[in-house]
Amino acid sequence: MLAIVGGLIALLFGWIGTSGKEYLALQLPYIVSGGLLGIFLLGVGVMFWISADLRDEWRQLHTVAVLLAQDEQPQQPTARVARADVTNESPSRHAATTS
């Protein structure tokens, strides 16, 4: 954000410097220093801004991918469900199948 503000200030000073000069030769230093520096700083600021937005988007996509991966994992039966299946069988039936 500082680069964008700095770029706008440089463009403003460049414009102020060129507005009072009638001859192109007297305007060139202001165009080069204020105009080009201002455009460069604006470009850098926009690049950082877009980079931060993309980083936030990738972070959100990673969070969604992790949540989807957790949902796709097969669910393991809990010990309570497995124990309920074992306790539903009668002891005599269990003894008959193991002998």
Side-chain angles (χ1 to χ4, degrees), residues 36-90:
L36 293 179
L37 177 65
I39 291 172
F40 174 76
L41 287 176
L42 281 173
V44 168
V46 168
M47 180 194 64
F48 283 138
W49 195 339
I50 291 173
S51 175
D53 284 344
L54 287 175
R55 189 175 29 245
D56 291 341
E57 292 293 325
W58 281 109
R59 189 174 300 132
Q60 289 175 353
L61 284 174
H62 176 71
T63 303
V64 169
V66 167
L67 291 174
L68 287 175
Q70 289 175 353
D71 286 344
E72 290 178 359
Q73 292 177 354
Q75 298 292 329
Q76 299 294 330
T78 60
R80 183 175 178 179
V81 172
R83 188 177 316 134
D85 290 341
V86 172
T87 56
N88 286 340
E89 295 181 344
S90 64

